[in-house]
């Protein structure tokens, strides 16, 4: 499967549509009735688990064990949780989010210098998937590579604001550290060697890439979505949310739960590759983003992924006669291309692999 070098139709920047002041959105962004956000249907008192990672370094073994159990339950039952005391300084968290907000308010001419193509998605973009005539999402984004170092190219990172590249470097190092720490925890909780998942991801040779999402104000937020329902194709996603505007919704028991971020928390979610490696003990979970009529929203999704050419399949230690392997072997590159061609489609992507196993 070869990815085309250009989008099937001219790209329209959603921010430009928003700033035009028109009271209605173009038909291309209106979702089918069953996919539209039901703004009042989610239980307001339910939230994803909040876990204090300081417990992992506590001198009391009972506290460490309790924290491990909390993470295990979150991975098995939710696929989503938020963490505090994760080691990232509050100033770095706030500064990273705000410098990207500044970028999206630079001139369109400057941003267009980084316009992306579907070949790598790297740069400034406004659509996911290659289906001509597809219903689009109400968002723009910026996508860049951090690891492997052979893919990292500072010339493809915005030159303005002037400190953006330096801030992204510092933030990226911290997220990669957190990814390694959590893979060790996940390995222990699955009864595997503590370095098992990191080695299956490629050891030091993993993938790490960032998508910064910009959700402009929307005059008809009840008709569209900022990001359609999907599960993340990679290993672990670390989301830095906009603390002032809610938007992320997680599917649970046929309801959409609106995530309420804790102050300076990082939201963690299980990707499809971890679902495969754990033989579905851990599950990636459908999520989507709603938009707001009065406020823009900025979030950063950092993807901590297996090395692109390694075969991913269920850990042999987790495959038994009672729990046979559910998935065939596939490289992350093959799976990612499969996803990028089709665009966001709920959980159907990873579930369709089961029929091939």
């Amino acid at each position: 499967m070869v990815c085309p070098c250009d989008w099937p139709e001219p790209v329209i920047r959603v921010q430009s549509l928003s700033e035009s002041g028109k009271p209605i959105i173009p038909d291309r962004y209106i979702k089918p009735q069953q996919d539209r956000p039901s703004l009042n249907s989610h239980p307001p008192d339910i939230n994803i688990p909040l876990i204090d990672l300081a417990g992992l370094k506590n001198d009391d073994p009972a506290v460490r064990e309790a924290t491990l159990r909390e993470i295990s339950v979150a991975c098995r039952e939710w696929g989503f949780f938020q963490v505090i005391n994760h080691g990232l300084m509050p100033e770095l968290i706030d500064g990273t989010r705000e410098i990207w907000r500044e970028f999206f308010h630079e001139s369109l001419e400057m941003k267009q210098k980084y316009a992306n193509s579907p070949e790598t998605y790297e740069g400034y973009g406004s659509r996911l998937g290659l289906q001509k005539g597809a219903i689009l999402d109400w968002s723009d984004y910026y996508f860049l590579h951090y690891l492997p170092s052979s893919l990292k190219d500072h010339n493809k990172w915005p030159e303005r604001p002037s400190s953006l590249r330096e801030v992204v470097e510092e933030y990226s190092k911290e997220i990669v550290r957190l990814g390694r720490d959590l893979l060790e925890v996940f390995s222990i909780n699955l009864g595997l060697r503590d370095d098992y998942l990191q080695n299956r991801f490629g050891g030091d040779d993993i993938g790490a890439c960032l998508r910064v999402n910009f959700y402009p104000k929307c005059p008809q937020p009840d008709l569209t979505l900022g990001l359609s329902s999907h599960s993340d194709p990679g290993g672990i996603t670390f989301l830095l949310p906009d603390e002032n505007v809610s938007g992320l919704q997680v599917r649970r028991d046929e309801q959409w739960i609106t995530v309420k971020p804790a102050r300076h928390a990082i939201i963690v979610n299980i990707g499809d590759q971890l679902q495969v490696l754990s033989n579905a003990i851990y599950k990636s979970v459908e999520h989507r983003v709603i938009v707001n009529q009065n406020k823009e929203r900025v979030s950063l999704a950092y993807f901590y992924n297996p090395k692109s050419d390694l075969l991913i399949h269920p850990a042999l230690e987790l495959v038994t006669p009672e729990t046979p392997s559910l998935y065939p072997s596939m490289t992350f590159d093959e799976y990612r291309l499969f996803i990028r061609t089709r665009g966001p489609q709920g959980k159907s992507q990873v579930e369709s692999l089961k029929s091939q196993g």
Side-chain angles (χ1 to χ4, degrees), residues 15 19 94-108 110-111 124 142 158-165 167 212-214 242 296-300:
Q15 188 174 4
E19 292 174 353
D94 291 338
T96 304
R97 187 195 304 109
E98 292 315 305
I99 206 160
W100 277 108
R101 192 187 304 276
E102 288 179 39
F103 165 78
F104 283 103
H105 285 287
E106 294 280 357
S107 70
L108 181 59
M110 195 283 282
K111 290 180 290 192
Y124 177 49
Y142 202 100
E159 62 183 346
R160 295 213 311 262
S162 58
S163 59
L164 184 144
R165 293 173 180 173
V167 170
V212 186
N213 306 299
F214 183 76
D242 192 318
E296 67 184 33
R297 183 171 175 272
V298 177
S299 69
L300 283 73

Side-chain angles (χ1 to χ4, degrees), residues 176-229:
V176 168
R177 172 196 56 77
L178 183 57
R180 182 177 281 272
D181 290 348
L182 281 184
L183 273 190
E184 182 176 321
V185 170
F186 294 169
S187 296
I188 292 167
N189 280 340
L190 288 166
L192 304 167
R193 294 189 321 273
D194 59 7
D195 62 352
Y196 180 89
L197 288 174
Q198 186 68 44
N199 287 337
R200 287 295 304 276
F201 270 48
D204 291 330
D205 196 10
I206 58 110
C209 48
L210 170 66
R211 190 179 72 226
V212 186
N213 306 299
F214 183 76
Y215 305 103
K217 298 174 190 177
C218 178
Q220 295 178 295
D222 54 323
L223 298 181
T224 191
L225 290 168
L227 190 55
S228 295
S229 172

Side-chain angles (χ1 to χ4, degrees), residues 6-20 22 25-29 108 111-112 115-116 124-128 134 136-141 214 216:
D6 214 345
W7 302 107
E9 299 145 325
V11 173
I12 297 171
R13 303 304 178 190
V14 176
Q15 188 174 4
S16 299
L17 294 174
S18 174
E19 292 174 353
S20 73
K22 292 180 180 176
I25 62 175
D27 290 347
R28 289 295 305 277
Y29 297 88
L108 181 59
K111 290 180 290 192
Q112 283 293 113
N116 73 348
Y124 177 49
S126 296
R127 69 175 291 162
L128 302 168
L136 302 176
D137 291 333
W138 192 263
S139 57
D140 299 322
Y141 64 86
F214 183 76

Side-chain angles (χ1 to χ4, degrees), residues 149-169:
S149 53
S150 59
L151 289 181
K152 181 169 77 171
D153 182 354
H154 273 185
N155 292 322
K156 294 181 179 178
W157 298 17
E159 62 183 346
R160 295 213 311 262
S162 58
S163 59
L164 184 144
R165 293 173 180 173
E166 180 184 348
V167 170
V168 171
E169 277 283 347

Side-chain angles (χ1 to χ4, degrees), residues 325-342:
S325 175
L326 294 173
Y327 306 99
S329 295
M330 181 182 284
T331 69
F332 180 49
D333 250 357
E334 290 169 334
Y335 186 70
R336 182 162 48 185
L337 186 53
F338 172 63
I339 293 282
R340 285 179 172 175
T341 303
R342 299 171 75 192

Side-chain angles (χ1 to χ4, degrees), residues 26 39 42 69 183 244 256 274 276 291 347:
L39 298 175
H42 54 273
R69 279 197 305 274
L183 273 190
N244 299 316
W256 288 102
L274 272 180
V276 171
V291 289
K347 280 276 287 184

Side-chain angles (χ1 to χ4, degrees), residues 1 38 45 54 67-68 117 122 145-146 154 186 192 203 210-211 215 219 230:
M1 192 188 298
S38 41
D45 55 338
T67 307
L68 286 171
S117 80
E122 199 167 9
H145 287 288
Y146 180 67
H154 273 185
F186 294 169
L192 304 167
L210 170 66
R211 190 179 72 226
Y215 305 103
H230 66 289

